[in-house]
Amino acid sequence: MSAVTVRVPAKVNLQLGVGPIRDDGYHDLVNVFHAVSLFDEVTVETAAAPEVRVQAAPYSRVSVADVPADQDNLAARAARLVAARLGVDAHAAIRIRKAIPVAGGMAGGSADAAAALVACARLWDDRDEPVLNRADLVELGAELGSDVPFAVLGGTAVGVGRGERLTPALTRGTFHWVFATADGGLSTPAVYAECDRLRAEEGAPDAGDAGGAPAARVSEPLMTALATGDAKGLGAALTNDLEAAALALRPSLGRVLDAGRDHGAVGALVSGSGPTCAFLAEDEEDAADLAEGLDGARVAAQVLRAYGPVPGAMVV
Ligand code: ATP
């Protein structure tokens, strides 16, 4: 075997609860991740040269201008990590076909890293006596970034800590989503910094600075709606503590959220750190109407439909 292709989903955060800042500078999070059917495809080929090369190409109308080439790409870092763990040389040519918006709050870079972990393990791990199982890859993912373990796992899961300590969540049925992408991404660190600034300005409830924000807790109504397949209940329970910061940095997102609500969304929120906005429809038919309405409103760069939950990174 000299090449492996892995398909990996984007995520939307059903709840993104941002708690206090920890001593290591990260926030304590409660992060309910949900994998949706918008996929990047990552192919890893064993190369002759002792190096890791990366090439990204768009799938549909995604811009790949800001996807780093070579060593800074999260997929390249993932390949080097697997090689180091297995004690083999990292000889790899990685091709990424991108459908997940870049810097869009849907964890596209983390998804590519997860795909590269799975592909490299399949390529280089001894198939008779594999060293790395999926749980090991989830653990390795945490070394690359907080969102990487979930992209390996997929489905719906609650993440605590930096978001990387995951417990699968019980869900029933399929939820239908519409995503409105924006031209130009938002930097995740910049959105967290704005969140801290807004909290400090408002005076966080039990302290004078952003570090004193209360601990985030998993939303019970959200977990009940997931377990019973209740789209309306889920729509009403969607929350994102980064939304105010994303809206402050990109006020035009307010119009996007309003347009989705006007066209029948049962839930609307900024996805992760934005600027992609996520809309939940009551069923598949409503999702089609919602997508058409949003398209007509001309508030988004692209309007995409997807469903969830879907599995994490998988060899195709
Ligand atoms: P998150 O939701 O995890 O905060 P995001 O979806 O907002 O992330 P990404 O698409 O993951 O953002 O990209 C964030 C930055 O990561 C990019 O601007 C880019 O510099 C860097 N990056 C590294 N590797 C990749 C990759 N394979 N694809 C996209 N971006 C990458």
Side-chain angles (χ1 to χ4, degrees):
M1 192 170 21
S2 64
V4 172
T5 297
V6 171
R7 202 169 81 142
V8 65
K11 60 86 183 158
V12 58
N13 303 87
L14 305 178
Q15 178 187 356
L16 179 39
V18 180
I21 303 177
R22 313 188 312 188
D23 291 343
D24 63 5
Y26 287 98
H27 290 82
D28 247 324
L29 302 179
V30 165
N31 207 336
V32 182
F33 295 103
H34 181 69
V36 294
S37 63
L38 191 61
F39 299 101
D40 278 0
E41 232 174 62
V42 176
T43 301
V44 182
E45 194 168 354
T46 301
E51 58 182 4
V52 178
R53 284 181 291 118
V54 185
Q55 239 183 10
Y59 225 149
S60 72
R61 287 193 283 140
V62 172
S63 162
V64 295
D66 293 332
V67 177
D70 302 337
Q71 303 319 315
D72 284 344
N73 196 295
L74 275 174
R77 291 183 47 208
R80 291 200 304 272
L81 189 61
V82 173
R85 182 57 60 96
L86 294 174
V88 301
D89 289 330
H91 294 208
I94 303 177
R95 290 194 305 278
I96 302 174
R97 292 187 71 194
K98 266 219 156 286
I100 305 174
V102 176
M106 299 191 79
S110 303
D112 297 344
L117 288 175
V118 171
C120 292
R122 176 60 74 93
L123 265 185
W124 300 331
D125 204 354
D126 184 340
R127 282 296 97 194
D128 294 330
E129 279 180 61
V131 175
L132 299 172
N133 60 27
R134 199 156 269 257
D136 296 322
L137 295 180
V138 169
E139 220 177 284
L140 273 187
E143 294 182 30
L144 296 165
S146 315
D147 290 353
V148 180
F150 175 71
V152 176
L153 196 71
T156 305
V158 179
V160 295
R162 286 182 289 126
E164 85 289 8
R165 296 204 316 268
L166 296 170
T167 310
L170 185 66
T171 65
R172 182 175 174 158
T174 295
F175 296 99
H176 298 276
W177 295 92
V178 177
F179 295 96
T181 72
D183 285 326
L186 274 176
S187 141
T188 304
V191 176
Y192 273 99
E194 179 65 10
C195 175
D196 292 342
R197 198 190 64 75
L198 290 174
R199 285 180 172 183
E201 206 173 77
E202 285 162 10
D206 50 10
D209 63 11
R217 290 186 207 297
V218 181
S219 155
E220 284 306 323
L222 184 102
M223 300 316 281
T224 304
L226 281 171
T228 55
D230 171 10
K232 267 193 174 163
L234 180 60
L238 297 171
T239 54
N240 179 359
D241 285 355
L242 290 179
E243 186 165 290
L247 284 166
L249 295 175
R250 193 72 69 84
S252 57
L253 295 181
R255 284 199 300 281
V256 184
L257 293 173
D258 286 344
R261 292 187 186 106
D262 289 348
H263 286 93
V266 294
L269 85 174
V270 170
S271 177
S273 53
T276 304
C277 291
F279 302 97
L280 184 63
E282 195 166 354
D283 54 32
E284 195 171 359
E285 205 175 307
D286 282 5
D289 292 344
L290 174 56
E292 203 179 302
L294 269 173
D295 234 350
R298 301 202 179 285
V299 288
Q302 254 189 300
V303 175
L304 306 166
R305 280 181 59 190
Y307 57 85
V310 296
M314 297 256 268
V315 175
V316 292

